[in-house]
Amino acid sequence: MAFRLSLLLLLFASAPCLPMAHANERVGDATYLYELKRYARAVNRLEKEFVSLIEAAPGEERFDLYWTYNHLTGTWVQVDFLHTLLKRSVAASSYSDESKTRAMLRGQAQFVLWELDQAITDLEQNMPEVKRPKLLRINGALRSLLSEVRMTVNRLLANQCARTPCAAGS
């Protein structure tokens, strides 16, 4: 009994000397990280199919497909950066680092929502010209995936803004 009491006293006495644990992961962060990673795998699969369609397409159609592919790649780079910012905010070692990263995360999430809206609209507007069944299927799968990503990013942004108010008009 005396040993346990001594150990307990030693623990309390040394507590001020020990570094404080800093937990940054917020409720929902793990879910958003998982979902964004899952979407990245799905995008990679669709990207391979899309590239094979580009390679098999005739001249004029190939140009349009490349344009769409480049636009989608640009959109996905922004989603990937959002994922990176979320990982950085969870891994931040201090409150001020986390606060700065979370602010960047909120701004990036707003931009990603805009990018996703543009990409979805472009895919919808280019649909009437598409006649090949495989391209129609990939186009539909891409629009569906981008819509799912948009819902995740929207939830992430709402979660971030609930903790720290976002800028007006967002």
Side-chain angles (χ1 to χ4, degrees):
M1 179 71 169
F3 175 73
R4 287 185 185 163
L5 185 57
S6 298
L7 189 58
L8 188 59
L9 287 174
L10 180 63
L11 181 63
F12 282 121
S14 64
C17 301
L18 298 174
M20 289 287 286
H22 186 71
N24 295 320
E25 190 166 343
R26 296 179 180 183
V27 174
D29 284 352
T31 301
Y32 301 130
L33 287 168
Y34 170 78
E35 287 180 23
L36 291 172
K37 190 172 186 174
R38 183 174 54 88
Y39 294 140
R41 286 191 299 268
V43 163
N44 287 335
R45 284 190 303 271
L46 287 171
E47 177 184 29
K48 288 177 185 174
E49 289 185 61
F50 203 85
V51 168
S52 71
L53 284 175
I54 291 172
E55 291 169 352
E60 180 66 30
E61 188 178 343
R62 182 178 288 182
F63 176 81
D64 293 338
L65 290 173
Y66 267 126
W67 185 90
T68 301
Y69 175 77
N70 286 338
H71 188 137
L72 292 171
T73 300
T75 299
W76 196 256
V77 166
Q78 297 304 323
V79 173
D80 190 45
F81 183 57
L82 178 71
H83 185 243
T84 299
L85 285 173
L86 182 56
K87 287 192 293 188
R88 284 184 191 167
S89 65
V90 170
S93 59
S94 70
Y95 177 77
S96 81
D97 287 345
E98 180 191 6
S99 182
K100 288 176 192 172
T101 307
R102 294 279 177 179
M104 288 174 48
L105 178 71
R106 288 187 298 276
Q108 181 65 14
Q110 292 168 339
F111 181 68
V112 165
L113 288 173
W114 180 83
E115 278 281 333
L116 290 166
D117 286 342
Q118 294 298 310
I120 293 166
T121 300
D122 287 345
L123 284 171
E124 288 170 350
Q125 289 176 349
N126 292 329
M127 275 309 292
E129 302 165 15
V130 176
K131 302 285 189 262
R132 294 188 296 156
K134 189 171 182 181
L135 188 52
L136 286 170
R137 183 190 62 74
I138 291 173
N139 188 299
L142 283 168
R143 284 185 295 141
S144 176
L145 180 63
L146 292 173
S147 294
E148 288 178 37
V149 172
R150 190 185 190 297
M151 286 188 290
T152 296
V153 173
N154 205 28
R155 286 192 337 265
L156 181 141
L157 180 59
N159 184 284
Q160 296 299 311
C161 290
R163 292 172 182 1
T164 307
C166 292
S170 30

